[in-house]
Amino acid sequence: GSEVAGVVLEAAPSVGGFSGDQQFFLSFAQAWRGKLRDAALRQRLLTDGHLQVQGSANVWAVGDCARIANPDGTVVPPTAQHATRQAEVVAHNILAAIRGGPKRTFDFKGLGKMGSLGHRSAVAEILGVKLSGFVAWWVWRTIYLMKMPGWGRRLKVASAP
């Protein structure tokens, strides 16, 4: 088997001529046909607070394919800012499901929104503070560059016209 985060994963035995991986995808396809999708909400999978697809024992969803409600009932926006935090929670919860431990509830309030308008202009709202123009562009560009891996790549992108 393979080891992932200290958990040894073994291939499931063949059942009905299908391997473990094929069984997983067949189970997912059956669950998908079983109306996991919510057509009224742009085909996003409905999840509980632990990011588990409602009505499914071992199907999880994160990012823009999931409809996740915050504890206050509002819907989590399908943005990368939220998806990266969801990934950490779902990884913990999958391991908890395998090991039999407690699961975490996803609860994250966004830090803000930003958008470049081009020509060194942007709009942003960060922690409730609204910015626009060059200052917003500079903040957007700084955050964008800081999220890039490695200083070499950051400098290369920053120096490009």
Side-chain angles (χ1 to χ4, degrees):
S2 315
E3 186 172 328
V4 178
V7 175
V8 176
L9 304 174
E10 297 290 339
S14 178
V15 175
F18 293 105
S19 69
D21 290 343
Q22 290 168 327
Q23 289 173 40
F24 169 79
F25 287 109
L26 287 173
S27 296
F28 181 77
Q30 289 167 348
W32 187 258
R33 283 195 310 272
K35 298 184 181 176
L36 290 175
R37 296 180 298 167
D38 182 8
L41 295 167
R42 295 183 297 159
Q43 310 295 323
R44 291 167 69 193
L45 297 170
L46 296 173
T47 67
D48 62 17
H50 300 123
L51 307 177
Q52 197 163 356
V53 174
Q54 291 180 3
S56 298
N58 294 310
V59 180
W60 310 79
V62 296
D64 57 3
C65 73
R67 182 180 186 272
I68 302 164
N70 280 314
D72 65 5
T74 59
V75 177
V76 174
T79 63
Q81 180 180 176
H82 289 81
T84 56
R85 273 97 177 164
Q86 292 164 10
E88 293 174 13
V89 172
V90 82
H92 170 87
N93 290 347
I94 290 170
L95 285 174
I98 293 168
R99 294 176 174 162
K103 296 176 186 169
R104 284 191 221 156
T105 300
F106 180 74
D107 185 17
F108 172 71
K109 305 293 182 251
L111 302 174
K113 311 175 259 279
M114 299 183 296
S116 174
L117 304 174
H119 302 289
R120 296 187 181 194
S121 181
V123 292
E125 182 180 348
I126 302 171
L127 301 174
V129 178
K130 295 180 180 181
L131 304 169
S132 63
F134 179 79
V135 172
W137 175 83
W138 185 84
V139 169
W140 170 83
R141 183 79 169 168
T142 301
I143 292 172
Y144 174 79
L145 290 171
M146 294 311 292
K147 289 189 175 287
M148 297 192 97
W151 281 101
R153 187 169 295 161
R154 290 175 188 158
L155 291 171
K156 185 176 180 181
V157 171
S159 63

